[in-house]
């Protein structure tokens, strides 16, 4: 791995010994101007130029990262100001006569919706695997309109499928798979088995029953909430509060990543400057200090 290390970061040149005298101090920002006036051998000048260009690119990278951090910090400050305002606005709803009951309904509605979404994701994942399998030309005989409805909207179709006709279809697929009539690539075999297990009679019946109850409760809560105009205001404030909280969290994480990156880049920059000092000192036979 030594050759790779050498390619990524050249070994530090050896510092020679020089007569005791005050070091020559050169600001990095004006190094190029000074260097252009020095009559150095071509090979020496080429080596110094290569390291200087690396240091210059790294320095520009540092400034770019600093600008990104400053931009993120400004956006974070604005997001926190909005969060503070929305938190205050949301807290004032507790003093509204209807707000407490509304918030109770809303919180319950959110819980119910989340449960429905979880079941939707479970069904969508399973039916996506089956869809990919049944869309193969050699498996077309096992496809039918009921599967297509489940592929399009699994929850809505499941609630309408009162006789659970899908159970017989899934059983038929399982039998076809067991008898090697269903063509499934080896790499997809485990996924197809898992999808069929997810849709086995006991599981899909339980999902259907729970979703029926959840939809009824959701309908009741929605009717109750829709009678009150205040809900829209609460929803709007809640939405923007959560939006800016998520934005602030992302910005904080991004800033942390950028700060870590800038530390690494600054380390490389200092290494390049140190190499530049050594090469320049060796060329002039005098100690050179480059001021960052």
């Amino acid at each position: 791995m030594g050759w790779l290390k050498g390619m990524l970061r050249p070994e530090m040149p050896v510092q020679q010994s020089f007569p005791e005298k005050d070091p020559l101090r050169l600001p990095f920002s004006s190094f190029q101007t000074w260097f252009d006036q020095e009559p150095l051998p071509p090979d020496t000048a080429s080596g110094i130029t290569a390291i200087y260009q690396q240091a210059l690119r790294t320095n520009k990278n540092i400034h770019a990262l600093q600008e990104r951090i400053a931009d993120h910090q400004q956006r974070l400050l604005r997001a926190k100001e909005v969060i503070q305002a929305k938190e205050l606005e949301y807290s004032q709803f507790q003093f509204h006569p209807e707000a407490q009951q509304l918030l109770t309904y809303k919180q319950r509605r959110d819980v119910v919706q989340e449960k429905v979404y979880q079941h939707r994701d479970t069904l969508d994942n399973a039916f996506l695997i089956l869809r990919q399998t049944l869309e193969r030309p050699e498996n077309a005989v096992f496809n039918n309109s009921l599967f297509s409805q489940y592929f399009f909207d699994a929850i809505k179709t499941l609630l309408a499928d009162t006789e659970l006709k899908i159970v017989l279809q899934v059983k038929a697929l399982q039998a076809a798979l067991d008898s090697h009539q269903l063509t499934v690539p080896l790499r997809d075999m485990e996924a197809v088995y898992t999808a069929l297990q997810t849709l086995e009679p006991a599981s899909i019946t339980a999902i259907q029953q729970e979703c029926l109850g959840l939809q009824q409760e959701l309908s009741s809560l929605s009717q109750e909430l829709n009678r009150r105009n205040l809900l829209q205001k609460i929803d709007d404030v809640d939405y923007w509060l959560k939006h800016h909280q998520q934005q602030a969290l992302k910005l904080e994480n991004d800033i942390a990543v950028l700060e870590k990156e800038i530390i690494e880049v600054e380390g490389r920059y200092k290494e390049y400057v140190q190499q530049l000092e050594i090469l320049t000192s060796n060329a002039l036979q005098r100690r050179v200090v480059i001021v960052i």
Side-chain angles (χ1 to χ4, degrees):
M1 293 293 289
W3 62 272
L4 180 58
K5 179 180 178 183
M7 289 180 61
L8 297 177
R9 188 172 299 177
E11 294 295 336
M12 189 72 68
V14 178
Q15 175 75 66
Q16 298 179 9
S17 298
F18 310 110
E20 288 294 330
K21 60 188 302 186
D22 292 337
L24 175 63
R25 294 184 176 274
L26 299 173
F28 181 81
S29 58
S30 59
F31 181 84
Q32 184 70 59
T33 303
W34 169 87
F35 177 71
D36 289 341
Q37 300 172 357
E38 289 295 314
L40 297 174
D43 290 346
T44 302
S46 176
I48 292 175
T49 299
I51 294 297
Y52 173 72
Q53 291 298 326
Q54 288 179 311
L56 190 63
R57 285 192 293 269
T58 309
N59 189 36
K60 289 180 179 178
N61 193 9
I62 290 172
H63 289 305
L65 289 169
Q66 289 172 336
E67 290 177 357
R68 289 180 63 191
I69 289 174
D71 175 70
H72 279 48
Q73 288 173 335
Q74 286 294 323
R75 291 166 59 192
L76 177 61
L77 179 61
R78 290 195 294 269
K80 287 184 175 180
E81 289 173 350
V82 175
I83 289 170
Q84 187 175 9
K86 292 300 178 183
E87 285 177 339
L88 177 61
E89 190 176 352
Y90 197 82
S91 67
Q92 292 174 344
F93 285 123
Q94 64 182 314
F95 302 110
H96 193 284
E98 291 184 297
Q100 279 301 316
Q101 188 62 48
L102 273 175
L103 289 173
T104 300
Y105 288 147
K106 180 184 181 304
Q107 289 168 358
R108 180 56 190 167
R109 183 198 63 183
D110 292 346
V111 170
V112 172
Q113 283 181 330
E114 181 58 30
K115 289 182 178 179
V116 173
Y117 293 156
Q118 289 173 0
H119 286 311
R120 178 201 61 193
D121 291 344
T122 297
L123 293 177
D124 283 350
N125 290 337
F127 280 111
L128 175 60
I129 298 298
L130 296 187
R131 178 178 182 176
Q132 293 170 343
T133 300
L134 295 177
E135 284 181 345
R136 296 176 66 91
E138 55 268 42
N139 294 329
V141 66
F142 300 105
N143 208 342
N144 57 54
S145 60
L146 182 58
F147 275 126
S148 299
Q149 294 173 44
Y150 271 96
F151 297 156
F152 179 72
D153 191 336
I155 288 291
K156 181 178 179 181
T157 306
L158 179 63
L159 295 177
D161 188 9
T162 55
E163 298 178 5
L164 278 179
K165 296 178 181 178
I166 191 64
V167 169
L168 293 177
Q169 301 298 330
V170 171
K171 284 184 175 180
L173 281 185
Q174 182 68 63
L177 182 64
D178 293 341
S179 61
H180 306 292
Q181 297 178 26
L182 189 68
T183 301
V184 179
L186 186 60
R187 67 176 183 277
D188 299 334
M189 191 68 71
E190 184 176 351
V192 173
Y193 268 114
T194 301
L196 291 172
Q197 289 174 356
T198 300
L199 302 174
E200 64 183 5
S203 297
I204 201 166
T205 299
I207 291 175
Q208 185 192 56
Q209 291 303 309
E210 185 170 3
C211 283
L212 283 169
L214 292 172
Q215 286 291 85
Q216 290 174 358
E217 184 176 3
L218 194 58
S219 176
S220 175
L221 288 168
S222 296
Q223 288 177 6
E224 190 65 35
L225 289 170
N226 288 338
R227 294 194 187 103
R228 294 166 168 81
N229 294 329
L230 184 61
L231 175 65
Q232 187 59 51
K233 295 180 181 179
I234 296 177
D235 273 345
D236 287 344
V237 175
D238 185 40
Y239 171 82
W240 288 112
L241 174 59
K242 290 177 180 176
H243 170 78
H244 287 285
Q245 285 174 335
Q246 292 172 354
Q247 184 184 52
L249 180 60
K250 183 179 185 304
L251 286 168
E252 288 173 346
N253 291 336
D254 289 347
I255 288 172
V257 171
L258 289 171
E259 287 175 340
K260 182 179 179 181
E261 184 177 354
I262 206 170
I263 290 173
E264 296 174 354
V265 176
E266 285 175 340
R268 292 199 298 273
Y269 175 54
K270 290 176 181 178
E271 285 186 13
Y272 288 137
V273 170
Q274 188 178 358
Q275 291 181 33
L276 195 59
E277 286 180 343
I278 294 172
L279 290 174
T280 308
S281 298
N282 292 345
L284 297 179
Q285 288 299 298
R286 177 183 179 183
R287 174 142 174 74
V288 173
V289 174
I290 298 178
V291 182
I292 297 176

